[in-house]
Amino acid sequence: MITGRQIRAARALLNWKQEMLAERALVALTALKRLESERGLRVNEATRDQVRRALETAGVLFIDSDRGRGAMLLNEAPIQPKAKTPRVRS
């Protein structure tokens, strides 16, 4: 089970704000805030799973070993090309 600390670390690696992660994971922002809280607030396991899958899809690997827990970025998320704006001829 991933922790709030791991989720915050993963967001930092991706340079994502909470709003972006909530959107990518298809969860409510308030649910994500509860999940990242240090106070151990209850969160639906489906929410935790959706957040984990969104971060893993973006290239994050969650680590859980006898030496501790963490998150690492396996590869950088692909850069989305900017949409070309049509030129207006005058």
Side-chain angles (χ1 to χ4, degrees), residues 33-74:
K33 288 182 179 190
R34 290 176 62 87
L35 182 57
E36 289 189 358
S37 170
E38 288 289 325
R39 295 180 287 172
L41 301 173
R42 284 185 171 196
V43 178
N44 187 319
E45 284 306 310
T47 299
R48 186 182 308 271
D49 190 53
Q50 285 176 249
V51 169
R52 178 191 53 77
R53 282 186 281 146
L55 291 166
E56 287 176 345
T57 298
V60 172
L61 174 67
F62 291 102
I63 303 164
D64 190 3
S65 74
D66 58 343
R67 296 183 62 185
R69 292 179 174 164
M72 67 181 280
L73 189 58
L74 294 176

